Amino acid sequence: MHDESRRIEERVQRLHDQRIKTAIYAATVPFQVEAWQAPGEPVPFEEAAAASYEPFATGTPWGPPWGTTWFRMRGQVPEAWAGRRVEAVIDLGFTGDWPGNQAEALVHRTDGTPLKAVNPLNQYVAIAHPAQGGETVDYLVEAASNPDILADNFAKPTPLGDKRTAGDAPLYTFRSADIAVLDEEVWHLDLDVQVLRELMLELGAHDPRRHEIAHALDRAMDLLDLDDVSGSAAAVREALKPVLSRPAHASAHTVSGVGHAHIDSAWLWPIRETKRKTSRTFSNVTSLADEYEDFIFACSQAQQYEWVRDHYPKVWARIQEAVKKGQWAPVGGMWVESDGNLPGGEAVARQFVHGKRFFMDHFGIETKGVWLPDSFGYNAAYPQIAKLAGNEWFLTQKISWNQTNTFPHHTFWWEGIDGTRIFTHFPPVDTYNARFSGEEMSRAVRNYQEKGGASRSLAPFGWGDGGGGPTREIMERARRLANLEGSAKVVVEHPDDFFAKARAEYPDAPVWVGELYLELHRATYTSQARTKQGNRRSEHLLREAELWATTAALHAPGYAYPYEKLDRLWKTVLLHQFHDILPGSSIAWVHREAEAEYARVAEALHALTAEALAALGAGGPRVFNAGPCDRAEVIRTADGAPVYVQVPANGSAPLGDARPPHPVTVDGRTLANGLVRVEVAEDGTLASVYDLRAGREVLAEPGNLLRLHTDLPNYWDAWDIDKHYKNRYTDLLDASSVTVVEQDPLLGAIRVERDFGKGSRITQTITLRAGSPRIDIETDIDWHETEKILKAAFPVDIRAAHSSAEIQFGHVQRPTHTNTSWEAARFEVSGHRWVHIGEPGYGVAVINDSTYGHDVSRTVREDGGTTTTVRLSLVRAPRIPDPEADQGRHRFTYALLPGARIEDAVAEGYALNLPLRVADAAGAPRPVVSVEGEGVTVEAVKLADDTSGDVVVRLYESRGGRATGVLRTGFPPAGAQITDLLERPLQDADLTGDGVAVALRPFQILTLRLRRG
């Protein structure tokens, strides 16, 4: 037989694209269209319905950036179409190849009922099936003219990312709006040919099945009447039945399809637009559920459900009905799909608390799994946090984006820092927007790492980010691929069912220990520094507000614990931890609003804390310590004078005049306090840090060296920092001034000022306080660089085999060498309040109050000694998607802590992030809780969410070893229980007197619920 493959393939492609596809709609009549441009921000339906509309012609430009145009579309179904399937087909002028993230619209009846959205790959709205001839159609269509920020693959900066800079020129040209007859036979033929052709092209040239399909298609095309595609479609389909009905091999891989619509809660659009995207997509999904009984849609992010509930009650009612039918599956159990690295431990816990509780309250469903397909790496505390929230499985996709190493598993047990394991899956289809194409099915099988051990994987299907979610075409593909020779088998099912089957099939799956580090998007630890600082400040202010509100609720008669206010503030912070807000990868509009939100959160939390402390009564100035460790340190009073205070953990003390053992001395550019001696060089770097207690020099080279690197990644500017950034840099060594600005027995300070780059200026105040070895570097930057990153280096004379970086409820250790490609790929890593390096007998920590990105490297000097260098990433200057990212003023503090053990790093990390607070209050009662025992650290103190008045305390082991101790209470306890994160009892705790004995394994999290006597 001659090889006719090329002829057949080209023939099938042309006939499919040019004849079959174009015949799907058998007849059309245009709508009469009128338009009204909404002024400013989106308006409610009622306002739009009452507006004055003007005639609007197809081919007319419309839609200024971020604008809303309402279209009124009127028409009538021709009498001759009675009994046919009739649809509205609307093309707003969709551009590019994005299924979403551009022009989108929601179609309403004239009574305000949302029907369905129209999107680039989902342009129809069902009118009637069967149709009544002469039926009148009258729609109001809310169309959003969102700019396509991703156009040209982020090739250049764009002003379109903020309404203030986007201009008002129309973005789109209205193409068509028709009433049309769907030719169902042709539509099904289109799908038959698509599925077979794509499968054929994925099969090997020597696979008989490929040639069988090719010749079947060739013969079928002979039956296609080019002058009457509709009339011949049934015969063509009949000819294809044999090749479509051949069953899959018994050993074929099984793909569990789960309907999905990944909607970023903000990214290349603001939060206000996400509220509309969710309504549009959820309208589509519930419409599809009515059409396909076997359809199942998985949807995470409780915040998005709440938006729909509050703004689109009719869509919300349809979601509730779909949940009852089992076609809609709430998943994930988090308030939003948050970033996986940057939120603090308590914040991650609250993501689950608020998310899971929402789904239980509104649907009576407790979600079983963590659904995080798109976050940029996952911290090693996740398994324990997820399990304590009642989860059984974990799903993500993003690790497939690794730049260097291919992750070795798709189904595995993930083990966290405390030893907790959770069953985890990475879909080998390598997308969370699958459509069951032949290429996707082939890729899923080809990639699958568990061959021979397991035989199934999961594929989330549907268009995301405004694409409207799953479509009927995708569902039809799934039906054709359910049992088709040459392909993996597709079954549409609930993700819980997939995980149950996968775990039963593969109980001895391999184990991955530690963080799931994404070898990409490393700059998300640093971009948009003010957003990150707002998050860090908010997390710690929430801790303070809850602690002092609990104290007041226990001891101040008449004080009411602010449950609702704290709940709403927590949800605001949790929303902004979404994986494109907190990482700094959104447009300017998003980050402008985030900074404003954080300011409002701070104001509200300061007010709540002030109310709580005032409720304790007046009596003179007292110092309040919201941290988990006793503190003795120098603070400033309201008039700026330094004072040395000693305050217990979670408690308070009078503002007295205690004296530290050694005063601070200032001699030229040298600061000393009996613990350490710091010499500042003429160029403003730290020439020497000498640990007087240990009798050793800490620095191997000048410290606090500021280095400005060129920073232009290959792609994804705000997301990525590529390794070549290290090759080009300038050391900032030209200080314009080095001046002693404070000389007091309690503290000494030297200010260093530098001008550099494109008009940037940095002022750093190096401060040493009495009684503490911690050297603070308060930093004020006026930043005007572009495509640069600024780092601060501390080269330490320590031979450290690894660095330890704080993460949620513990820390991770990372090698300082680069023996393998896995270690070399970690050239930029994340951490929270501190990074520690050490050798037996001595260690040093670098503490920060808002910095997350850093790198640690090691070199051997000519004298044989080893220099381990910790460098903090302070600020970047990407231009895409926000061309003005990070420009302007930044204020933050980082510190060097010589002679530090891990427990010292923990204590000082809390201290720097939880400044002591001075307030006028009466003699405060005992702390709500206090701990006897090393390593047992209090993370949260609050009243129980059920308003019972019980006190909830979250503890964890913070050093990485076993810990025992006693939790003492400042109130008479009547009972104690160990609970999960949702404060549900797991077991009784032993209560003896005013304490609870605790025994923790390394990094264990323990939540105690204490009933008051």
Side-chain angles (χ1 to χ4, degrees), residues 91-175:
D91 186 342
L92 300 172
F94 301 118
T95 61
D97 59 357
W98 270 71
N101 189 37
Q102 49 168 292
E104 306 165 40
L106 182 59
V107 179
H108 303 76
R109 291 196 183 101
T110 54
D111 65 359
T113 301
L115 291 175
K116 184 178 171 295
V118 291
N119 317 86
L121 299 178
N122 195 347
Q123 298 180 18
Y124 77 94
V125 179
I127 292 175
H129 185 212
Q132 300 292 320
E135 181 178 350
T136 298
V137 184
D138 193 350
Y139 291 152
L140 278 172
V141 181
E142 181 192 30
S145 49
N146 300 330
D148 182 1
I149 305 296
L150 193 51
D152 302 321
N153 289 322
F154 284 152
K156 57 186 178 182
T158 173
L160 292 172
D162 196 330
K163 197 171 184 179
R164 297 179 177 183
T165 58
D168 57 7
L171 295 175
Y172 301 100
T173 299
F174 195 99
R175 206 166 277 134

Side-chain angles (χ1 to χ4, degrees), residues 507-715:
D508 57 346
V511 177
W512 180 269
V513 178
E515 65 184 327
L516 294 174
Y517 176 84
L518 177 62
E519 296 174 358
L520 196 72
H521 292 358
R522 303 168 181 89
T524 58
Y525 316 145
T526 305
S527 295
Q528 298 285 3
R530 285 184 292 269
T531 297
K532 291 173 170 60
Q533 187 175 56
N535 175 73
R536 182 78 70 85
R537 295 278 67 74
S538 297
E539 289 179 344
H540 289 80
L541 287 171
L542 280 161
R543 174 198 177 100
E544 280 195 90
E546 288 184 336
L547 172 64
W548 302 129
T550 302
T551 304
L554 292 175
H555 300 292
Y559 175 82
Y561 189 85
Y563 290 101
E564 292 185 5
K565 291 180 180 178
L566 287 169
D567 179 82
R568 182 43 54 191
L569 289 166
W570 260 115
K571 287 175 179 174
T572 299
V573 174
L574 297 179
L575 165 60
H576 288 85
Q577 290 175 343
F578 178 75
H579 66 253
D580 273 309
I581 303 179
L582 183 52
S585 48
S586 290
I587 57 173
W589 191 346
V590 172
H591 291 288
R592 171 169 55 82
E593 289 191 333
E595 291 173 30
E597 279 297 305
Y598 285 130
R600 285 190 284 270
V601 167
E603 182 180 11
L605 288 171
H606 281 301
L608 288 180
T609 295
E611 290 170 10
L613 297 181
L616 297 174
R622 292 186 69 84
V623 185
F624 291 83
N625 172 18
C629 305
D630 296 344
R631 288 162 70 174
E633 62 187 68
V634 175
I635 63 170
R636 294 186 186 275
T637 59
D639 60 4
V643 60
Y644 184 74
V645 297
Q646 295 174 309
V647 197
N650 304 305
S652 69
L655 181 65
D657 57 354
R659 286 294 175 213
H662 298 285
V664 174
T665 61
V666 181
D667 182 6
R669 295 190 303 274
T670 300
L671 309 174
N673 66 357
L675 303 173
V676 294
R677 183 178 65 241
V678 181
E679 297 179 20
V680 180
E682 289 185 14
D683 61 13
T685 61
L686 300 181
S688 170
V689 173
Y690 193 82
D691 190 332
L692 297 167
R693 302 160 300 173
R696 62 183 286 171
E697 173 62 43
V698 174
L699 299 176
E701 300 171 20
N704 193 36
L705 173 66
L706 298 174
R707 179 167 286 180
L708 186 67
H709 292 266
T710 296
D711 179 22
L712 183 65
N714 294 342
Y715 196 54

Side-chain angles (χ1 to χ4, degrees), residues 952-955 977-981 1005-1009:
V952 173
V953 182
R954 191 125 47 234
L955 312 163
Q977 292 177 320
I978 297 172
T979 74
D980 66 4
L981 295 184
I1005 303 165
L1006 184 70
T1007 304
L1008 292 173
R1009 182 172 183 143

Side-chain angles (χ1 to χ4, degrees), residues 969 973-976 989-997 1010-1011:
T969 63
D990 294 330
L991 185 63
T992 55
D994 65 347
V996 179
L1010 307 169
R1011 192 170 72 254

Side-chain angles (χ1 to χ4, degrees), residues 75 262 329 352 405 471 488 571 623 731 817 841 1001:
H262 178 76
F352 285 112
N405 298 285
T471 64
K571 287 175 179 174
V623 185
D731 289 339
H817 60 72
R1001 65 178 182 270

